[in-house]
Amino acid sequence: MATDRLRIALAQIDQRVGDIDANVAAMRAWRGKAAAADLVVFPEMQIIGYPPEDLVLRPALIERAAAALDELARDTADGGPAMLVGTVVREGEMLYNSVALLDGGKVSAIRHKYELPNYGTFDEQRLFDPGPLPEPVLFRGVSLGLPICEDVWHPKVCKHLAEAGAEIFLCVNGSPYEVDKDDLRIEQVACKRADETGVPMAYLNRVGGQDELVFDGASFVVGDDGEVYLQMADWDEALAITEWQRRETGGWRCEPQPLASLAPYPEDVWCAMTVGLRDYVNKNGFSGVLLGLSGGIDSAACAAIAVDALGADRVWCVMLPSRYTSETSLEDAKACAQALGVRYSIIPIQPAIAGFDAMLEEDFADTEVNLTEENIQSRIRGVALMALSNKFGPMLVTTGNKSEMSVGYATIYGDMAGGYNPLKDAYKMTVFEACAWRNTAIPRVAVDGAPGGEVIPQNIIDKPPSAELRPDQKDSDSLPPYPVLDRILHGLIEQDKSVDTLAAEGLDRATVKRIEHLLHLAEYKRRQAPPGVKLTMKNFGRDRRYPITHGFRSG
């Protein structure tokens, strides 16, 4: 007999790719918290973690995932809530991204993902086989449609499920964070599917960092009228037990709950960088982080992000001054370290510079001092910081922003040295905006005890950016002003516009052409850069994959 009420728990939780035992233990714990529910829903690939990349091709992983699914299924014989679990399933020669309904001590139904994303960060067509168009699953007499992530970004699967009688969509997701993606998921995806099919949808997303991706959660329920009936918080693990009632006039209604407010820009960017760094450090077993604190805005931002992510006691900042380091930079770096409460060291690099000058004196004789000597300073700093990392164990954080990495304004094996870069996908103007915001608030994802107030001295934000590798050096000596540079880069990278198009929009053609040339020229550096948090539609490495060797220019 079909029920007229359902209590469906949405478990918005983290995962660790490949750690099946930990993922299963977490699912059991969260199921225990949802004992009053009829069904607990977990995110996409919750058993093995998402995205698994080529790890999913290992037969042993598939075998362990199957065994774990059977174990979880047996748990449901206890009379507690059923579970909807994302996992990987092998059937003969076919490998599927799947969701399984576990009920009454057994696997009662399995459905496979139909739409396999193969763009940007996703390579699912390389790893998985597409399932057939999924049929609804009967649970307590209610017909449930179980689309998986990409299945709801296109109309075909939901249309098929609705025509087959689905009354409620339960969509499990591993949807990475991008700026402005909250509205996209709700308005351009879920509401569209509800409008097309007349079927309400619960959209469950995972949280946490996985290498260069970070997942923001922000799960929600949309009714068949397109209204939002539940909005879960972003960034944190959480459980929401939703109450569903069959209407006398037909269809199902989710009882409204208070709507959580989501982090606006640029707080959301700061949260993404913080969560990404925290999970990279903790999931890979590092004791903490260290970084070079130059007195500039990028390293100050990274220091503040690290403190928010890990706590001040796990962050070590090092100033490595040369003869070109200004007194202002020394004062600003010290003030920043004191405001953040971190360990702070000063290691002058002039002795090493003198040593290199002596080493290379004969071969450099009769040559002009140029960029080579500037880069030696940066590489000395990289060696010193890596020595501290090797000796004491904290991971070295590198601090270059996306604007600099776009045009190669970074020294390979120097300031690019490190294990992770929170700013890798943050344009320079984004860094300015995020730092200004951080001085007004403590991010919702920060550790307990994170400092408030002006943690990034205002002078660091206000002064002209400089690498300080030669007398009176300014970034503007080599690059257009950052507002202009970022506008050009956004057009070239995020929008794939040509030089001619950007020139027609009012930008100086010669400048745009030069920046495009630098963008392509720096590809070999970016291939050797450490990973960092994806923030934009097209981050370097996963989304934008250009050949190093090519001769194309758009203008």
Side-chain angles (χ1 to χ4, degrees):
M1 180 177 177
T3 184
D4 291 327
R5 295 188 67 87
L6 276 179
R7 289 169 61 88
I8 300 174
L10 305 179
Q12 176 179 287
I13 63 176
D14 196 0
Q15 319 164 344
R16 186 162 185 247
V17 170
D19 195 345
I20 293 174
D21 290 344
N23 292 338
V24 167
M27 293 165 72
R28 284 174 167 148
W30 284 94
R31 179 176 182 258
K33 297 176 183 180
D38 299 302
L39 175 65
V40 186
V41 185
F42 294 97
E44 183 177 11
M45 286 280 179
Q46 186 64 41
I47 285 182
I48 68 167
Y50 186 84
E53 301 187 66
D54 282 10
L55 192 65
V56 80
L57 302 178
R58 296 291 297 274
L61 181 83
I62 307 302
E63 293 166 7
R64 291 181 191 176
L69 188 68
D70 288 339
E71 290 175 15
L72 286 168
R74 287 192 289 272
D75 288 354
T76 61
D78 63 3
M83 290 188 277
L84 190 64
V85 176
T87 188
V88 59
V89 171
R90 180 172 291 285
E91 294 179 359
E93 296 299 314
M94 311 296 276
L95 187 65
Y96 297 112
N97 178 340
S98 306
V99 63
L101 179 64
L102 314 181
D103 191 22
K106 64 181 181 179
V107 179
S108 64
I110 293 178
R111 295 295 182 266
H112 307 308
K113 193 172 186 176
Y114 177 81
E115 302 280 4
L116 298 181
N118 206 54
Y119 55 86
T121 62
F122 305 105
D123 293 308
E124 290 200 25
Q125 291 182 24
R126 179 174 176 271
L127 301 172
F128 299 106
D129 295 290
L133 278 170
E135 300 302 320
V137 169
L138 203 63
F139 175 73
R140 307 292 191 267
V142 182
S143 184
L144 302 178
L146 308 178
I148 301 172
C149 201
E150 189 75 9
D151 286 342
V152 302
W153 289 75
H154 309 275
K156 189 172 184 178
V157 169
C158 288
K159 180 176 184 292
H160 173 80
L161 286 166
E163 290 174 347
E167 300 170 86
I168 300 171
F169 293 145
L170 301 180
C171 180
V172 300
N173 294 267
S175 179
Y177 165 82
E178 291 174 8
V179 173
D180 295 330
K181 201 170 185 181
D182 294 325
D183 292 340
L184 183 64
R185 292 180 188 132
I186 294 174
E187 297 172 10
Q188 299 300 314
V189 177
C191 289
K192 275 192 174 182
R193 300 293 89 83
D195 180 65
E196 292 163 356
T197 63
V199 178
M201 177 186 296
Y203 181 105
L204 176 66
N205 191 27
R206 65 158 292 194
V207 294
Q210 171 60 30
D211 294 345
E212 293 192 284
L213 301 181
V214 64
F215 299 84
D216 55 329
S219 306
F220 58 87
V221 171
V222 168
D224 55 10
D225 55 1
E227 294 295 316
V228 178
Y229 286 81
L230 168 73
Q231 175 63 72
M232 297 177 69
D234 46 3
W235 304 112
D236 288 329
E237 290 189 310
L239 183 77
I241 298 181
T242 60
E243 301 269 0
W244 295 78
Q245 176 72 45
R246 191 192 301 271
R247 293 187 297 240
E248 291 183 3
T249 54
W252 284 78
R253 180 179 185 272
C254 179
E255 294 296 325
Q257 296 191 27
L259 305 182
S261 61
L262 303 180
Y265 179 88
E267 181 185 2
D268 60 337
V269 170
W270 195 277
C271 288
M273 295 187 293
T274 301
V275 172
L277 179 63
R278 173 189 295 152
D279 284 355
Y280 191 84
V281 169
N282 290 340
K283 290 179 180 180
N284 285 294
F286 290 104
S287 61
V289 300
L290 77 117
L291 64 136
L293 192 63
S294 67
I297 191 169
D298 295 325
S299 62
C302 286
I305 290 164
V307 169
D308 288 341
L310 305 169
D313 60 330
R314 297 177 66 190
V315 180
W316 183 4
C317 292
V318 184
M319 161 59 89
L320 300 121
S322 74
R323 61 178 174 167
Y324 302 120
T325 302
S326 68
E327 191 64 32
T328 298
S329 291
L330 288 165
E331 293 170 357
D332 289 342
K334 182 179 180 181
C336 183
Q338 289 176 337
L340 292 170
V342 299
R343 178 181 177 181
Y344 181 61
S345 300
I346 301 176
I347 303 176
I349 64 169
Q350 199 57 43
I353 293 173
F356 271 89
D357 287 344
M359 285 169 53
L360 299 169
E361 181 177 12
E362 183 176 342
D363 289 293
F364 279 16
D366 301 321
T367 64
E368 296 291 328
V369 173
N370 61 9
L371 186 62
T372 302
E373 284 77 10
E374 293 182 26
N375 287 340
I376 286 174
Q377 297 172 62
S378 181
R379 290 180 177 127
I380 287 170
R381 292 185 171 111
V383 169
L385 290 167
M386 281 305 305
L388 296 174
S389 176
N390 289 163
K391 180 66 74 174
F392 300 106
M395 182 193 73
L396 176 57
V397 168
T398 185
T399 62
N401 60 70
K402 187 172 186 176
S403 304
E404 294 171 349
M405 294 304 301
S406 296
V407 295
Y409 197 68
T411 304
I412 196 165
Y413 321 125
D415 60 332
M416 287 176 62
Y420 201 77
N421 182 0
L423 304 184
K424 183 178 181 178
D425 203 30
Y427 289 107
K428 187 75 169 188
M429 297 310 298
T430 302
V431 177
F432 278 116
E433 292 164 352
C435 287
W437 171 84
R438 180 59 181 88
N439 279 348
T440 69
I442 298 174
R444 62 186 68 191
V445 298
V447 297
D448 292 340
E454 191 178 281
V455 295
I456 300 167
Q458 190 62 39
N459 192 56
I460 289 179
I461 298 174
D462 292 340
K463 68 185 180 183
S466 171
E468 293 192 324
L469 296 174
R470 63 177 183 264
D472 300 319
Q473 183 183 25
K474 301 290 186 293
D475 289 6
S476 56
D477 297 339
S478 306
L479 300 171
Y482 278 112
V484 176
L485 177 62
D486 283 1
R487 183 183 168 195
I488 294 171
L489 291 173
H490 192 272
L492 292 172
I493 297 169
E494 313 297 332
Q495 299 174 317
D496 284 322
K497 291 183 177 179
S498 69
V499 170
D500 291 340
T501 299
L502 291 173
E505 293 176 359
L507 291 162
D508 178 70
R509 192 179 192 283
T511 301
V512 176
K513 186 173 182 178
R514 173 173 162 261
I515 295 305
E516 184 196 49
H517 178 69
L518 292 175
L519 174 66
H520 291 312
L521 205 63
E523 184 64 35
Y524 84 99
K525 288 187 179 182
R526 293 190 291 268
R527 290 286 185 94
Q528 301 178 66
V533 187
K534 171 180 164 63
L535 305 172
T536 66
M537 290 180 62
K538 289 189 179 178
N539 73 328
F540 293 123
R542 297 188 68 96
D543 293 323
R544 188 181 186 276
R545 310 178 193 183
Y546 269 59
I548 295 173
T549 307
H550 71 89
F552 175 77
R553 298 293 184 269
S554 70

